[in-house]
Amino acid sequence: MDFKYTAVLSALLLTACAQAPKREVEPPAPPVEKIVKEEPQPTLPNQDLTAPMLYEFMLSELASQRGHNDLAAATSYDLAKKTRDPRLAKRAAQLTFGTGQMDKALEAFRLWQELEPDSPLAQRMFVTLLVSGGRLSEAQPHIADMLVKDKPNAGRTLMQLYPMLAPYPDKTMVLDLLRDLTQPYPELPEAHYLIAQAANAKSERALALDEIRVARKLRPDWEAAVIFEALLLREQPSEAAAKLKEFLATHPDARDVRLNYARTLYEQKKWVESRIEFQKVLDNEPGNSELAFVVADISMRLGELDKAEAQLKQALEKGNKDENTLHFYLGQLNEAQQHDAEALGDYRAVKAGESLYPAQLRIAFLLNKSGKLDEAREQLHQIQPINNQQRVTVVLFEAQLLRDAQQYEATYQVLNKGLEKLPKHPDLLYETAMVADKLGKYAESEQLLRKLIQIKPDHAHAYNALGYSMLERNERIDEAVSLVEKALQIDPNDPAILDSAGWGYFRQGDLNKSLSFLRRAYAATPDPEVAGHLGEVLWMNGDKAEAEKIWDESLKANPGNAQLEATIKRVKHL
């Protein structure tokens, strides 16, 4: 080693000591005997360690530590080719894989496998890389070789294979590949299970059922197989339940099978039988809050609200670790029984976890319900959302409370504040536009709706809202009808859009076409606003008796509706 080389290497090492991040203490390595048993020792080349080799090795490792992955991988691969050392080839493969460059990674893995042909790890990782890269044909002979080399564990290898193949888009190719690979192993239940999975993914249900039944015959006590068979029989729920029940008769401790049996009964609305099965699992898992709620939910469906409450409280008394979830469920139960004060107490007992956010929303709802709007808003302001969707929900929730209180200017301010933080969120744009229109800020409403249409060209209600606003003001009628017709193209059966179309054609003077759309809208939803439009067009078309009938029906269903009453009064005095 000459002085110049020594100086460079020393500088690199000193820099690494100063800048390299500290590594966490690693757990102790397993005993050498275990390593030898699992992975055979590679044959090492008769190669002396030279200064240039050491330099390249250190350069590669330092580059890796500092995030220069391409340099680290290239240097390591070059060194592995020069030395033919399988240990360096393994390291090169690992580094190259980290670069995300598929072709170079494959070269490195091929070198590792070439230098260490007896390494199961090298072969498995190479196969994984080929499959993840979609090179199934290239991977097939290597997979077949893996199965042959480790035939005692072929079943386990097959079961590990499908999760890698499942995302592959060509389901026919996956099925054909697996048929070829499993053909030499007809005695393995895993082989048939694998074909059943692939056939199911390809929507060949009959083949999937045939294969899973062969798997069950080969291994009658296999829980996963009977669950899969029941899944394939989901369109015949009674038969699926019978299969699960039959298995439980001889395997009463099969937890997952029992849960699937309970769910199947639940889906068939066999509440009593379903509760019995869920309860059996819950008896063995008293700390399972989700199961406790399912049992309580069934009791609620059976009208046994007291029993449901007792079941949830019993779970709490047993020291359930997830007390927050149980308190949330109790709050839901008390709300269902209209015990709002008790529900409020339960929601306030939720202090953390996934139930905290919905519990806080329910607190705000109940406070507002009891006439405490200011407290409800303060509660919403204390919520700490964890993502943008939660932030938007909180803003829309507060806006709805204010809208219900007819505080439209305050509603507008809340929504505008939300838009300042999320100026392109479709829900905020739409709701702000609606309130702006309500306040007579028509230009601003139009600007917001056109921005929404630019962001989401398929937003039918944005077109409809913009067109309907013009129609209500009796302005730019042809443009308004064009906007509504665009909404109709996107969503041709929406009652609100049908109503707008009918109202637009009325503004254009086409009463017959108007009536056609308004009748469809009213049949879909007998809303008082739609009733007002339909009655007015009928009245103007000379059919006053039917108009009176439509209005009377709507007033009976919506007594005191100010908008409908105003429409009737205006039309009758025309």
Side-chain angles (χ1 to χ4, degrees):
M1 179 182 292
D2 59 33
F3 177 79
K4 182 179 179 182
Y5 176 77
T6 304
V8 172
L9 182 57
S10 298
L12 282 169
L13 287 171
L14 287 171
T15 306
C17 291
Q19 298 181 6
K22 294 181 180 179
R23 292 187 178 182
E24 297 293 332
V25 178
E26 296 181 356
V32 174
E33 293 79 13
K34 185 175 182 180
I35 296 176
V36 172
K37 184 177 179 180
E38 292 181 352
E39 188 75 10
Q41 289 291 338
T43 302
L44 302 179
N46 185 15
Q47 174 75 57
D48 291 332
L49 178 62
T50 65
M53 288 179 193
L54 181 59
Y55 171 74
E56 285 192 67
F57 178 75
M58 293 302 299
L59 178 62
S60 172
E61 291 302 309
L62 291 173
S64 176
Q65 287 181 11
R66 297 182 194 178
H68 302 300
N69 298 329
D70 289 348
L71 174 61
T75 305
S76 182
Y77 179 60
D78 183 63
L79 184 60
K81 285 198 298 182
K82 289 177 182 176
T83 63
R84 308 290 293 174
D85 189 319
R87 296 168 300 182
L88 295 178
K90 177 180 179 180
R91 180 61 176 153
Q94 293 169 335
L95 290 172
T96 310
F97 180 76
T99 67
Q101 300 178 59
M102 172 64 73
D103 291 338
K104 291 184 177 180
L106 285 172
E107 287 180 18
F109 274 94
R110 284 193 184 96
L111 178 62
W112 179 21
Q113 194 172 22
E114 176 189 343
L115 297 178
E116 198 174 350
D118 295 328
S119 169
L121 178 61
Q123 191 170 39
R124 283 199 301 271
M125 292 186 68
F126 183 51
V127 165
T128 300
L129 187 63
L130 287 170
V131 172
S132 63
R135 304 191 182 194
L136 302 193
S137 299
E138 192 175 345
Q140 182 171 344
H142 296 282
I143 299 172
D145 187 54
M146 283 171 52
L147 294 169
V148 171
K149 284 182 177 178
D150 193 15
K151 192 169 183 178
N153 293 312
R156 185 173 63 182
T157 301
L158 287 171
M159 291 299 288
Q160 294 170 346
L161 184 61
Y162 189 73
M164 293 189 292
L165 294 170
Y168 196 73
D170 189 339
K171 304 305 179 185
T172 299
M173 187 173 183
V174 171
L175 180 57
D176 291 343
L177 170 70
L178 292 176
R179 276 176 155 166
D180 288 343
L181 288 171
T182 58
Q183 190 272 333
Y185 306 98
E187 76 288 354
L188 286 181
E190 293 90 348
H192 299 280
Y193 190 99
L194 205 61
I195 298 299
Q197 285 182 299
N200 182 50
K202 192 173 175 286
S203 299
E204 292 193 19
R205 182 170 164 273
L207 174 61
L209 272 171
D210 288 343
E211 291 293 330
I212 200 63
R213 283 167 177 165
V214 174
R216 286 199 62 201
K217 187 175 181 180
L218 290 168
R219 189 187 296 174
D221 61 347
W222 197 3
E223 292 186 41
V226 69
I227 291 171
F228 194 10
E229 183 179 5
L231 174 66
L232 293 171
L233 291 168
R234 58 187 173 276
E235 294 179 7
Q236 293 92 38
S238 296
E239 188 177 349
K243 293 289 182 182
L244 295 166
K245 183 178 181 180
E246 179 185 3
F247 188 89
L248 288 169
T250 53
H251 303 82
D253 296 329
R255 174 196 183 272
D256 291 342
V257 176
R258 191 172 298 282
L259 272 179
N260 277 271
Y261 179 47
R263 291 190 191 107
T264 303
L265 293 170
Y266 184 95
E267 290 165 3
Q268 296 177 70
K269 298 183 179 180
K270 295 183 177 180
W271 307 124
V272 175
E273 298 95 323
S274 177
R275 183 172 62 181
I276 290 171
E277 298 303 323
F278 277 121
Q279 186 65 55
K280 287 179 181 178
V281 182
L282 183 58
D283 288 342
N284 291 321
E285 301 175 24
N288 192 322
S289 58
E290 291 186 5
L291 281 177
F293 178 69
V294 171
V295 173
D297 171 69
I298 295 173
S299 295
M300 289 172 63
R301 293 176 184 277
L302 290 168
E304 301 172 0
L305 301 185
D306 292 339
K307 182 178 284 188
E309 185 175 4
Q311 287 160 343
L312 290 175
K313 287 183 175 178
Q314 184 180 17
L316 271 175
E317 291 168 1
K318 288 182 178 180
N320 191 293
K321 294 180 180 179
D322 197 359
E323 292 185 2
N324 292 300
T325 302
L326 285 174
H327 276 297
F328 180 75
Y329 290 156
L330 276 168
Q332 298 266 280
L333 179 61
N334 277 312
E335 268 202 85
Q337 299 178 87
Q338 298 186 357
H339 298 163
D340 291 351
E342 292 86 346
L344 201 55
D346 282 311
Y347 290 138
R348 282 177 168 154
V350 179
K351 302 299 183 184
E354 294 182 0
S355 299
L356 178 60
Y357 172 73
Q360 290 175 317
L361 292 179
R362 299 313 300 168
I363 291 171
F365 174 82
L366 291 172
L367 286 171
N368 182 67
K369 184 180 177 183
S370 64
K372 300 176 181 178
L373 174 59
D374 291 340
E375 288 185 39
R377 293 183 66 190
E378 182 59 33
Q379 168 65 29
L380 290 173
H381 295 165
Q382 292 175 8
I383 296 176
Q384 296 182 350
I386 62 173
N387 54 47
N388 283 342
Q389 188 54 54
Q390 287 191 1
R391 289 185 185 90
V392 170
T393 300
V394 171
V395 171
L396 294 177
F397 199 123
E398 184 178 7
Q400 186 61 52
L401 297 184
L402 290 165
R403 187 186 287 109
D404 291 343
Q406 298 184 357
Q407 297 185 23
Y408 298 114
E409 185 60 42
T411 304
Y412 176 73
Q413 296 300 330
V414 166
L415 289 168
N416 248 333
K417 190 175 179 180
L419 269 180
E420 288 175 5
K421 296 180 180 178
L422 297 165
K424 294 184 178 181
H425 197 283
D427 294 341
L428 290 177
L429 285 167
Y430 182 78
E431 293 301 328
T432 309
M434 294 298 95
V435 178
D437 186 84
K438 182 79 175 178
L439 291 169
K441 303 175 187 288
Y442 302 122
E444 185 169 344
S445 177
E446 180 171 346
Q447 182 182 10
L448 291 168
L449 288 170
R450 291 197 183 279
K451 181 178 179 179
L452 174 55
I453 289 169
Q454 186 178 15
I455 293 170
K456 291 196 71 177
D458 61 344
H459 198 299
H461 286 281
Y463 291 100
N464 182 61
L466 183 54
Y468 185 72
S469 177
M470 295 175 185
L471 292 172
E472 280 293 273
R473 302 194 309 274
N474 206 11
E475 298 176 358
R476 297 149 61 189
I477 299 302
D478 289 342
E479 181 184 356
V481 171
S482 177
L483 287 164
V484 172
E485 287 178 336
K486 175 65 175 177
L488 205 59
Q489 290 174 10
I490 299 170
D491 193 349
N493 297 311
D494 185 282
I497 299 174
L498 290 169
D499 174 62
S500 297
W503 196 235
Y505 297 133
F506 170 68
R507 292 290 198 201
Q508 288 182 325
D510 192 340
L511 299 190
N512 289 332
K513 195 172 183 180
S514 172
L515 283 172
S516 173
F517 279 88
L518 289 173
R519 288 187 191 280
R520 286 176 60 194
Y522 189 69
T525 176
D527 181 88
E529 185 173 2
V530 180
H533 289 158
L534 178 57
E536 181 169 349
V537 177
L538 286 167
W539 188 278
M540 299 304 292
N541 201 40
D543 197 344
K544 296 183 178 181
E546 188 177 358
E548 294 272 17
K549 180 183 177 183
I550 295 292
W551 287 334
D552 287 345
E553 287 177 354
S554 189
L555 282 173
K556 286 179 182 177
N558 306 276
N561 186 278
Q563 184 178 7
L564 179 57
E565 289 178 344
T567 297
I568 296 171
K569 184 177 180 180
R570 174 179 56 79
V571 172
K572 287 187 175 182
H573 286 83
L574 288 175

